[in-house]
Amino acid sequence: MNRTIRDATADDLSGIAALYGREVLNGTATFELEPPGRDEMARRFAAVKRHGLPWLVAEIDGVFAGYAYASPFRPRPAYRYGVEGSIYVEEAARGHGVGRALLEALIERARAMGLRHVIGAISDSETSAASIALHRALGFRDAGVYRQVGWKFDRWLDVTLMQLDLSPGGAPPEAPGLDLTGGLA
């Protein structure tokens, strides 16, 4: 098995939209209720890239296996050193280290940008034990739980918040952080 992590391109958007659409319709990793089409995913892709943030694709033996991206944590300037990571893995690729490889690559990109925090917001705490365990294994700490905050599939869902501090010593930033008006400061 040959696993590759690379930067996503516009050519990946159909696979990205299809995977995300299946999760919207059948899963609880997102609280969206209607799958966005390829054009909407292209808009989201462009928004991430405008901030200079990574959007990555995983392949196994040359076949699309999942994706991950970082987005600004919050829009206010004081949050410019934090990003939220999002990861989606094809069902057939789960259990093959794809999620871990994507998250590790996302963390390294954030660190190289001089960012301070990567936040995970993992929905449906009941069925996301593997995702929570993966985040913990990579150094994320529990930051809290939003209890029964989402209603999907006729039930209330929690969101577990996790945080990775890329500079735990608390030193002042050495990079300008994100320009939350559209690009890097």
Side-chain angles (χ1 to χ4, degrees):
M1 176 177 72
N2 182 21
R3 185 178 55 233
T4 305
I5 305 295
R6 61 172 175 77
D7 288 319
T9 69
D11 292 338
D12 297 309
L13 290 172
S14 292
I16 288 168
L19 169 54
Y20 187 73
R22 285 190 297 277
E23 188 59 38
V24 169
L25 292 174
N26 304 308
T28 55
T30 175
F31 286 177
E32 281 196 70
L33 302 176
E34 297 294 326
R38 187 189 181 286
D39 289 346
E40 173 58 19
M41 292 308 285
R43 188 194 65 70
R44 295 176 188 187
F45 178 75
V48 165
K49 299 312 270 181
R50 262 193 313 277
H51 287 289
L53 291 168
W55 192 309
L56 307 170
V57 162
E59 295 177 330
I60 296 178
D61 297 328
V63 176
F64 177 82
Y67 70 95
Y69 64 93
S71 56
F73 172 60
R74 294 281 188 267
R76 292 193 173 69
Y79 293 113
R80 69 189 174 276
Y81 293 99
V83 293
E84 183 175 335
S86 298
I87 304 165
Y88 294 90
V89 177
E90 290 283 7
E91 191 169 338
R94 294 176 189 164
H96 295 283
V98 171
R100 183 183 189 99
L102 283 165
L103 185 53
E104 286 175 337
L106 206 61
I107 290 166
E108 286 314 307
R109 294 283 186 96
R111 184 175 279 121
M113 292 175 69
L115 298 175
R116 172 74 186 268
H117 297 282
V118 179
I119 306 297
I122 303 163
S123 50
D124 193 4
S125 306
E126 288 182 21
T127 62
S128 298
S131 184
I132 292 168
L134 169 62
H135 282 76
R136 284 184 182 139
L138 294 179
F140 284 75
R141 301 172 98 182
D142 293 6
V145 177
Y146 292 135
R147 304 233 181 255
Q148 298 184 354
V149 67
W151 179 257
K152 189 172 182 182
F153 301 136
D154 296 324
R155 66 186 178 103
W156 288 109
L157 301 169
D158 295 346
V159 174
T160 299
L161 303 172
M162 303 188 82
Q163 177 177 340
L164 177 65
D165 192 342
L166 300 172
S167 179
E174 295 181 10
L178 298 175
D179 174 355
L180 297 176
T181 61
L184 287 178

